[in-house]
């Protein structure tokens, strides 16, 4: 159900068991395909307890804890998360393990991985999507031309700025932003706020350097969803 007063538009996932997840403000109307996908998820999603984390992707305790923090938040109706992990501790692998369990639990079908550098985009696509999701249709976005029928997308945010409005606000289930402390400001912020999706920010910036705007954007009051500092690593 969509509700609007001509200024704001709200989406109500009617009959959804979680009231915090069922109604939220959106930037526009979802496409028919997006609504059918959400209906499929409502009818077929599994409890996270039924799905095991793929230990081929992550097997370190702190990585597993990071995924579980996000899953616990999703169960409570949260839709924004910020993971702070020191460089070299496997942020990309954590995100792939999270995507895997969300796909296996029938809660996610459309994934967007955004970065602010081509090297990070290529890492997510080649070392992530290709390795752990060989049977899923995927696309690395180079220009504004894209295949809207793929399920996994990797792009720099600079490139995606050129084409994001070709999608409806409901066309992605989860958006992961690598080095998000650099990517959610100015005109780039429009990409993140346009989509009605679960949003996960990844950054290696030490927690004391993560500013309040970044924490607020990901609905984190005083601390990130998960924190794994350089000294701990």
């Amino acid at each position: 159900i969509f509700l609007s007063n001509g200024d704001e538009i709200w989406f109500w996932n009617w009959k959804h068991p979680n009231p915090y997840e069922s109604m939220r403000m959106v930037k526009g109307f979802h496409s028919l395909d997006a609504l059918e996908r959400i209906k499929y998820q409502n009818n077929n999603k599994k409890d996270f307890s039924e799905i095991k984390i793929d230990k081929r992707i992550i097997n370190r305790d702190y990585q597993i804890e990071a995924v579980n923090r996000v899953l616990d938040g999703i169960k409570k109706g949260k839709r924004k998360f910020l993971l702070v992990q020191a460089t070299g501790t496997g942020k990309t692998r954590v995100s792939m393990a999270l995507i895997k369990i969300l796909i296996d639990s029938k809660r996610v079908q459309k994934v967007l991985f955004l970065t602010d550098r081509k090297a990070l985009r290529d890492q997510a696509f080649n070392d992530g999507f290709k390795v752990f999701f060989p049977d899923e249709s995927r696309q690395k976005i180079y220009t504004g031309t894209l295949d809207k029928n793929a399920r996994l997308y990797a792009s720099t945010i600079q490139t995606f700025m050129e084409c994001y409005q070709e999608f409806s606000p409901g066309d992605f289930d989860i958006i992961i932003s690598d080095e998000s402390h650099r990517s959610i400001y100015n005109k780039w912020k429009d990409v993140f706020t346009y989509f009605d999706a679960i949003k996960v920010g990844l950054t290696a910036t030490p927690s004391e350097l993560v500013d309040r705007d970044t924490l607020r954007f990901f609905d984190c009051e005083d601390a990130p969803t998960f924190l794994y500092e350089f000294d701990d690593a």
Side-chain angles (χ1 to χ4, degrees):
I1 298 175
F2 290 93
L3 306 97
S4 179
N5 60 3
D7 180 32
E8 295 178 356
I9 301 173
W10 285 69
F11 170 64
W12 181 15
N13 192 357
W14 188 47
K15 294 186 177 180
H16 193 283
N18 191 325
Y20 296 104
E21 189 180 347
S22 64
M23 187 178 290
R24 52 191 177 264
M25 192 186 303
V26 293
K27 289 289 186 177
F29 300 104
H30 296 21
S31 66
L32 178 58
D33 286 345
L35 293 174
E36 290 178 339
R37 197 181 70 252
I38 293 170
K39 182 179 179 181
Y40 172 83
Q41 294 165 4
N42 285 345
N43 294 333
N44 295 279
K45 66 183 179 183
K46 301 177 182 178
D47 193 272
F48 292 136
S49 62
E50 299 178 39
I51 311 297
K52 301 293 184 184
I53 291 177
D54 191 336
K55 297 294 182 67
R56 296 172 301 171
I57 306 177
I58 57 172
N59 57 11
R60 299 175 182 175
D61 290 344
Y62 70 86
Q63 295 171 332
I64 293 169
E65 181 182 352
V67 171
N68 284 331
R69 290 274 186 95
V70 176
L71 297 179
D72 288 343
I74 291 174
K75 285 192 288 189
K76 295 174 183 175
K78 282 180 61 65
R79 294 177 63 79
K80 291 183 179 180
F81 306 91
L82 179 62
L83 307 182
V84 177
Q85 288 183 224
T87 300
T89 60
K91 295 191 301 297
T92 301
R93 279 182 170 267
V94 165
S95 62
M96 294 300 150
L98 175 63
I99 292 168
K100 180 77 160 51
I101 202 166
L102 290 173
I103 288 177
D104 290 348
S105 61
K106 312 294 186 186
R107 292 169 182 257
V108 157
Q109 279 79 44
K110 289 277 205 174
V111 177
L112 174 61
F113 198 107
L114 287 175
T115 73
D116 67 345
R117 288 188 290 122
K118 293 178 181 178
L120 294 174
R121 175 203 63 192
D122 294 345
Q123 179 184 6
F125 190 84
N126 298 325
D127 301 337
F129 291 163
K130 277 188 174 181
V131 174
F132 302 119
F133 305 96
D135 298 326
E136 297 286 358
S137 56
R138 53 194 180 271
Q139 183 178 12
K140 188 191 298 184
I141 300 176
Y142 297 101
T143 66
T145 303
L146 48 87
D147 173 15
K148 292 179 66 176
N149 295 316
R151 294 183 60 169
L152 308 177
Y153 295 81
S155 176
T156 63
I157 193 164
Q158 295 92 329
T159 299
F160 203 69
M161 277 290 299
E162 302 173 12
C163 59
Y164 75 94
Q165 289 183 314
E166 293 183 28
F167 294 92
S168 86
D171 281 354
F172 289 105
D173 299 310
I174 184 169
I175 298 174
I176 294 176
S177 169
D178 201 358
E179 296 303 339
S180 56
H181 66 285
R182 298 197 297 253
S183 305
I184 61 168
Y185 298 104
N186 303 321
K187 62 182 181 179
W188 291 352
K189 190 174 183 178
D190 294 342
V191 174
F192 295 98
T193 57
Y194 177 76
F195 289 105
D196 176 38
I198 295 170
K199 299 179 176 75
V200 180
L202 310 174
T203 183
T205 299
S207 59
E208 64 269 17
L209 299 180
V210 175
D211 58 50
R212 298 297 306 172
D213 286 340
T214 303
L215 290 170
R216 273 194 294 269
F217 181 83
F218 288 101
D219 292 343
C220 299
E221 294 182 4
D222 300 311
T225 308
F226 178 76
L227 176 62
Y228 193 64
E229 296 276 32
F230 178 81
D231 288 344
D232 296 325

